[in-house]
Amino acid sequence: METRVLHVAPPVTPQSPAVQAGAALIRAGELVAFPTETVYGLGANALDAAAVAKIFTAKGRPIHDPLIVHIASPDQVHAVAERLPPLAYALIAACFPGALTLVLPRRQHVPPNVSAGLPTVGVRMPAHPVALTLIEAAGVPLAAPSANLFAHTSPTTAAHVLADLGGRIPLILDGGATDIGVESTILDLSGEHPRLLRPGGVSLERIQAIVGDVKIEIVQRYAGGGDPMDSLPAPGMFLKHYAPHAPLSLYEGEDSAVRAALQQAVNGARAAGERIGLLILEEDRPAFAAWEGNPQIVIGSLGKGASPDQAAARLYTLLRHFDAAEVTVIFARAMPPVGIGAAVQDRLMRAAAGRIIRL
């Protein structure tokens, strides 16, 4: 299959040629990759079970990992979900469009494979003109996970999508680099109490400011035990996810201890002949200045620790840069889990697949 890449230039309208091409493919039951404010998504008609099945095939995604349905207006929530609790309306008013996914009771006409057979469905309204216009032009909600091979680092540019899915899908809409850089927050409102299933682009602090004194249960489930075919309650909950090609080890602790441990790990890997990726904060640079320019060590900075939005925007690009540099091992420092930093830390923990060194 040939994969076309069409650039979408502003102003974006339903009549834009690239959008029209994407909408026609969606209506024909095909797949289209498109930008959102978080990462690039791989979309199919959410009401067409056969089209949805193509997502799992193209990505190599297990069928027990549910998808998120993307809509173009808050009113469209009712087209895919029912029995919304009062809390949902407050969050929709405050966060749609935006990087928040709400898990709600699924309407029966939404195919079960969208939700891995669960009676719920994740719904969000992206805050990106290309995504919203594509949904509007297609005339249907889009089921869309990230547009990458399953468990690989998520894509934040069209080039990332092409590297993973070239030859597997017919079209990529290139809307430039994404703004936020990590996936949406997932909040489950289908039960008695709200549950945070995945930290993301909308911080827990912002959600708490909206819902007031409502208790939110934070679910920290790193899948890997039990029946491997059990449906997960939300995307992105596998132990290994968002991962680069090389094994990544994550170091947590006080700054001085982390820097010392990273120096020791890098020295050991150098002696073993490894090609090393080192993921640090800008404040860490002086401790590793002697290694700048060393051809055996590729250093990437997530930015300043006090600016977690920088880390979110840079994380996946840096991990893919390590892939391109063909590093054989990656050592990374933990991110302070404040604001969107909690999402960055979650992605790092899953990219590490359990290789976490707590100091």
Side-chain angles (χ1 to χ4, degrees), residues 14 19 45 64 106 110 126 209 216 226 255 289 296 314 322 339 359:
V19 173
N45 180 352
H64 57 288
R106 174 173 57 87
V110 177
I216 297 176
D255 288 345
Q296 193 180 353
R314 296 179 184 185
F322 289 153
L359 304 168

Side-chain angles (χ1 to χ4, degrees), residues 9 36 53 71 73 105 142 145-146 155 175 210 242 266 284 338 341 352:
T36 77
I71 57 176
S73 73
L142 299 185
S146 55
I210 296 166
Y242 316 109
V266 170
D284 301 322
V338 178

Side-chain angles (χ1 to χ4, degrees), residues 159-178:
H160 294 166
V161 180
L162 187 63
D164 273 20
L165 300 181
R168 292 171 173 256
I169 62 175
L171 180 63
I172 301 169
L173 297 181
D174 183 355
T178 62

Side-chain angles (χ1 to χ4, degrees), residues 25-81:
L25 283 167
I26 294 293
R27 290 193 295 269
E30 296 297 336
L31 307 182
V32 176
F34 61 96
T36 77
E37 78 279 29
T38 58
V39 299
Y40 272 70
L42 180 60
N45 180 352
L47 305 181
D48 180 343
V52 170
K54 292 180 180 180
I55 293 176
F56 292 92
T57 300
K59 284 176 57 72
R61 184 185 181 98
I63 60 173
H64 57 288
D65 193 12
L67 308 178
I68 293 171
V69 175
H70 293 64
I71 57 176
S73 73
D75 291 342
Q76 286 185 324
V77 171
H78 299 283
V80 296

